[in-house]
Amino acid sequence: MLSRVANSIYWMARYLERADCVARFIDVNTHLMLDLALDQNAAQWYPLVATSGDDEDFTRRYRQADERAVVRFMTFDQSNPNSILQCIFRARENARTVREVIPVEMWEKINEIYHLTQSQSRKRSVADLQDYYREIRQSGHLFTGLMHNTMSRDMGWQFAHMGQMLERADKTARLLDVKYFLLLPHNDVWKDSAYDAVQWGAVLKSVNALEMYRQQFHTINYKDVTQFLLFSKAFPRSVQFCLENAAAALDTLTPDMDEPSQATREMETLCKTLHRSDTSHIISAGLHEFIDIFQANLNLVDEAIYESYFKN
């Protein structure tokens, strides 16, 4: 497979997963405010920006993190490379260059999401965009289903699956980090309260994990949610599940190499770091510090994939 084609398929899947995650975060934050009966002045919009990792860009271009500014920045801002609009535009551009190697149903779905986003791009309030965010989430499920049901398990599928899993691991880790440090700045006061349980419940909802979590744990608290979202081997949005799937896809791409590629070595380092950790130690040593190291290692994996497969 040409490196150009592999690169386009990989980023097509990553950008669509990113758009799906952004829509999830905004949608769940809106429902959280309703559950807690927060007014607009007390609403917590800034953590959404922090979750995306684009807080420096936002702070430089917007005066305050209110609903209008955050919704515009994360949904339709053309200058924000991680807004839903830009993610879908880039996913479509990558898909357009590889139309000959992806099923026509996948191209048609991406095209449909693109035109839906263009038609909604003049709306500015969350209330007006609820159906749109729901449609983006549903489209993410449909695209994943099409990918799994219509693509041969060849190199193209492996690159798409690896991209989707790495993006998902990144967003789950960011969400956990932001919730722990920003949503409840007075942690000692609110820790293990009903208020705390509602917010951790919102975190689980944002990754469709609430029902699966409750099958394993009886109460909602920060330790068990951290355990579930980092280390569940069965839940498809946990960090460990995503990394193991990405590593398996990477191994499939390089079955006959005498020496492991740079990407394989970096992936092994990342997986070992996670496997050697446990929730109690992470929380006592600092969840934020752990996820900082995880994010740095994840970036190294992404750079190594580029060097190993996409550069030439």
Side-chain angles (χ1 to χ4, degrees), residues 14-264:
R14 284 203 72 155
Y15 279 127
L16 281 177
E17 182 68 22
R18 192 172 299 176
D20 179 2
C21 290
V22 173
R24 288 171 181 276
F25 296 159
I26 297 174
D27 194 30
V28 170
N29 195 61
T30 305
H31 285 93
L32 175 64
M33 288 188 294
L34 293 174
D35 291 342
L36 296 175
L38 296 175
D39 61 32
Q40 287 300 313
N41 293 327
Q44 303 180 85
W45 288 101
Y46 183 75
L48 284 179
V49 181
T51 301
S52 71
D54 296 318
D55 39 333
E56 288 186 12
D57 182 29
F58 178 86
T59 305
R60 188 168 59 252
R61 296 195 289 117
Y62 292 85
R63 292 183 178 178
Q64 60 182 17
D66 56 14
E67 176 190 329
R68 185 179 180 84
V70 172
V71 167
R72 174 174 171 73
F73 178 73
M74 297 189 69
T75 309
F76 299 123
D77 191 332
Q78 295 190 8
S79 299
N80 175 13
N82 296 316
S83 69
I84 294 176
L85 183 144
Q86 278 294 319
C87 287
I88 291 174
F89 171 76
R90 294 180 184 202
R92 182 175 182 266
E93 285 301 295
N94 280 290
R96 186 177 57 79
T97 63
V98 293
R99 284 185 65 177
E100 72 280 8
V101 297
I102 62 173
V104 66
E105 292 85 359
M106 287 174 61
W107 163 250
E108 288 175 351
K109 191 62 198 172
I110 294 174
N111 217 25
E112 181 184 315
I113 302 170
Y114 171 79
H115 288 294
L116 172 69
T117 301
Q118 293 295 318
S119 70
Q120 302 289 310
S121 60
R122 297 183 68 84
K123 295 181 178 178
R124 292 292 178 265
S125 75
V126 166
D128 293 336
L129 289 165
Q130 282 302 298
D131 290 342
Y132 169 70
Y133 292 132
R134 191 176 303 111
E135 187 64 31
I136 292 296
R137 295 174 64 173
Q138 292 299 323
S139 296
H141 290 307
L142 285 170
F143 180 82
T144 301
L146 287 170
M147 195 175 89
H148 280 261
N149 292 330
T150 62
M151 285 187 79
S152 299
R153 296 306 189 262
D154 55 12
M155 296 183 75
W157 188 88
Q158 302 296 349
F159 276 113
H161 186 56
M162 182 167 63
Q164 186 181 50
M165 289 295 102
L166 289 177
E167 186 66 30
R168 194 174 288 180
D170 174 70
K171 286 296 178 288
T172 299
R174 286 183 185 277
L175 179 68
L176 199 56
D177 187 24
V178 170
K179 168 64 181 72
Y180 199 78
F181 276 87
L182 294 181
L183 288 183
L184 285 182
H186 306 294
N187 242 4
D188 292 338
V189 176
W190 295 102
K191 190 180 292 183
D192 293 332
S193 66
Y195 184 88
D196 197 34
V198 170
Q199 295 227 14
W200 282 109
V203 171
L204 293 169
K205 286 180 183 176
S206 70
V207 289
N208 290 120
L210 184 58
E211 289 76 19
M212 298 302 105
Y213 171 88
R214 280 178 168 160
Q215 291 179 15
Q216 188 172 344
F217 300 98
H218 298 298
T219 60
I220 298 177
N221 60 72
Y222 70 99
K223 290 181 181 177
D224 290 342
V225 173
T226 301
Q227 168 71 27
F228 188 77
L229 292 183
L230 283 182
F231 297 112
S232 173
K233 294 180 179 179
F235 184 64
R237 288 187 178 275
S238 81
V239 172
Q240 181 163 337
F241 183 97
C242 293
L243 284 188
E244 289 178 351
N245 272 261
L250 190 58
D251 288 343
T252 305
L253 291 168
T254 53
D256 302 322
M257 293 180 68
D258 295 331
E259 292 287 330
S261 66
Q262 183 183 349
T264 301

